[in-house]
């Protein structure tokens, strides 16, 4: 039977809000577990309960999943700071949620390319988080989306802002391959995976319908905005230097991990299970770009 009550950790984030909305549209009762429920808007909807829970606190996590039929971990941390670090959130927090699941359906959102030998601390933590989840909950479903896009997203908004510059710096030659995936498609994948007994214990890599080089996505944004700009290659060694300088700032606009993430391709593996296995046809970023830019 489909889960009737679902606890969503990270339900106030970009992806988390869409997961909550998708679950509600499917008729589920939703409990949003977040560190600061008073700042979220999820509780304004019917069938939504907001509860304070820090994933680093095992007791708070256990309270948040009481009487839930299924659990989703959509917590994300891209930049360390303000008392938060990758290890405590993506590894320890993921382990706490998996332990509290106690065999119930658990969907854990990670990311494409997660491996423990990565030079990126963020990617290594994601990979160790996956392992911690599997060690505690063997039937957990792991979703690995590529870079997310959608209305009011960070990815396209950042590219839109960059496209206003007279000269646009590229990461290297801009040849890094990305497979942007619509946030609503990932949210639907969470629902389908949760309801599919065959998905238990599986890993799904979720990429959108099109694969693009970074410079090609910038070109799409420029065309949508009617702008003509020069794209300027910038060696990665210079980006690393800039990130090292920016690290001295209280809120660095660029980090070493962000540069490392733009160095490697971010596409679904050719043999990996993906949207097709979940009965979903993902959107292509080029088809909905204008709508997402607003």
């Amino acid at each position: 039977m489909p889960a009737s009550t679902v606890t969503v950790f990270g339900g106030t984030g970009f992806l988390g809000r869409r997961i909550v909305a998708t679950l509600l549209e499917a008729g589920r009762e939703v409990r949003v577990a977040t560190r600061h429920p008073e700042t979220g808007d999820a509780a304004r909807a019917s069938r939504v309960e907001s509860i304070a829970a820090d994933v680093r606190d095992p007791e708070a996590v256990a309270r948040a999943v009481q009487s839930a039929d299924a659990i989703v971990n959509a917590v994300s941390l891209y930049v360390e700071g303000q008392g938060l670090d990758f290890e405590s959130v993506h590894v320890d927090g993921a382990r706490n949620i998996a332990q509290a699941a106690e065999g119930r359906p658990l969907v854990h959102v990670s990311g494409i390319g997660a491996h423990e030998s990565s030079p990126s601390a963020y990617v290594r933590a994601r990979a160790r988080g996956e392992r911690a989840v599997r060690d505690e909950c063997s039937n957990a479903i792991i979703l690995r989306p590529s870079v997310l896009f959608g209305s009011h997203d960070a990815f396209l908004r950042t590219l839109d802002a960059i496209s206003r510059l007279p000269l646009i710096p590229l990461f290297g030659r801009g040849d890094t391959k990305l497979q942007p995936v619509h946030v609503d498609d990932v949210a639907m994948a969470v629902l389908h995976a949760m309801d599919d007994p065959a998905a238990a214990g599986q890993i799904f890599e979720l990429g959108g319908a099109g694969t693009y080089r970074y410079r090609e996505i910038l070109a799409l944004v420029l065309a949508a905005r009617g702008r003509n700009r020069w794209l300027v290659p910038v060696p990665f060694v210079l980006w690393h230097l800039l990130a090292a300088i920016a690290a001295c700032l209280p809120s660095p606009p660029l980090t070493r991990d962000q540069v490392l993430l733009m160095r490697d391709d971010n596409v679904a593996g050719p043999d990996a299970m993906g949207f097709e296995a979940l009965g979903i046809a993902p959107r292509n970023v080029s088809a909905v770009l204008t709508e997402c830019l607003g």
Side-chain angles (χ1 to χ4, degrees), residues 195-279:
D195 289 349
D196 183 1
Q202 301 298 323
I203 297 175
F204 298 86
E205 297 197 349
L206 306 178
T211 299
Y212 299 87
R213 299 183 187 276
Y214 176 67
R215 65 188 303 138
E216 292 173 333
I217 301 175
L218 270 171
L220 289 175
V221 173
L222 287 168
R225 292 304 197 195
R227 298 170 184 149
N228 293 310
R229 299 290 190 273
W230 288 99
L231 303 181
V232 182
V234 177
F236 274 98
V237 64
L238 182 54
W239 283 111
H240 282 293
L241 177 60
L242 293 172
I245 295 172
C248 300
L249 302 174
S251 298
L254 181 71
T255 68
R256 177 178 182 272
D257 279 283
Q258 289 171 331
V259 175
L260 289 170
L261 288 173
M262 287 305 304
R263 190 188 66 180
D264 298 327
D265 293 342
N266 193 268
V267 298
D271 300 322
M273 290 194 298
F275 280 114
E276 184 177 358
L278 295 171

Side-chain angles (χ1 to χ4, degrees), residues 31 68 77 80 84 135 141 230 286:
R31 180 183 300 145
L77 177 71
E80 295 179 308
L84 298 173
D135 288 345
I141 302 161
W230 288 99
S286 64

Side-chain angles (χ1 to χ4, degrees), residues 1 3 6 15 19 23 28 69-75 94 97-98 101 103-111 126 129-145 186-206 273-275 277-278 280:
M1 292 293 292
V6 184
L15 173 59
I19 293 173
L23 291 170
R28 313 302 165 87
D69 302 301
I71 301 154
V72 178
N73 180 12
V75 173
I97 293 172
R104 286 170 288 184
L106 168 63
V107 179
H108 175 80
V109 181
S110 181
R126 280 294 204 186
E130 289 187 8
R131 179 158 54 87
V133 167
R134 279 298 180 82
D135 288 345
E136 300 294 339
C137 185
S138 60
N139 68 336
I141 302 161
I142 295 175
L143 302 185
R144 295 174 175 168
V186 177
M188 189 60 69
V190 170
L191 175 65
H192 284 209
M194 183 186 302
D195 289 349
D196 183 1
Q202 301 298 323
I203 297 175
F204 298 86
E205 297 197 349
L206 306 178
M273 290 194 298
F275 280 114
L278 295 171
I280 299 170

Side-chain angles (χ1 to χ4, degrees), residues 16-125:
R17 291 196 304 272
R18 295 310 307 156
I19 293 173
V20 169
T22 299
L23 291 170
L24 290 174
E25 290 165 6
R28 313 302 165 87
E29 305 285 336
V30 180
R31 180 183 300 145
V32 175
T34 179
R35 287 191 303 136
H36 304 293
E38 69 279 0
T39 63
D41 57 1
R44 298 175 188 172
S46 61
R47 307 196 313 280
V48 174
E49 173 192 359
S50 290
I51 184 171
D54 188 325
V55 296
R56 299 171 297 176
D57 181 349
E59 293 183 359
V61 169
R63 289 193 297 270
V65 302
Q66 285 180 358
S67 74
D69 302 301
I71 301 154
V72 178
N73 180 12
V75 173
S76 61
L77 177 71
Y78 298 105
V79 179
E80 295 179 308
Q82 299 181 339
L84 298 173
D85 60 82
F86 297 143
E87 188 73 17
S88 65
V89 173
H90 290 308
V91 183
D92 298 337
R95 180 184 295 108
N96 292 337
I97 293 172
Q99 286 178 340
E102 296 181 336
R104 286 170 288 184
L106 168 63
V107 179
H108 175 80
V109 181
S110 181
I112 283 178
H115 57 91
E116 296 187 45
S117 61
S118 171
S120 164
Y122 166 78
V123 173
R124 291 197 303 272

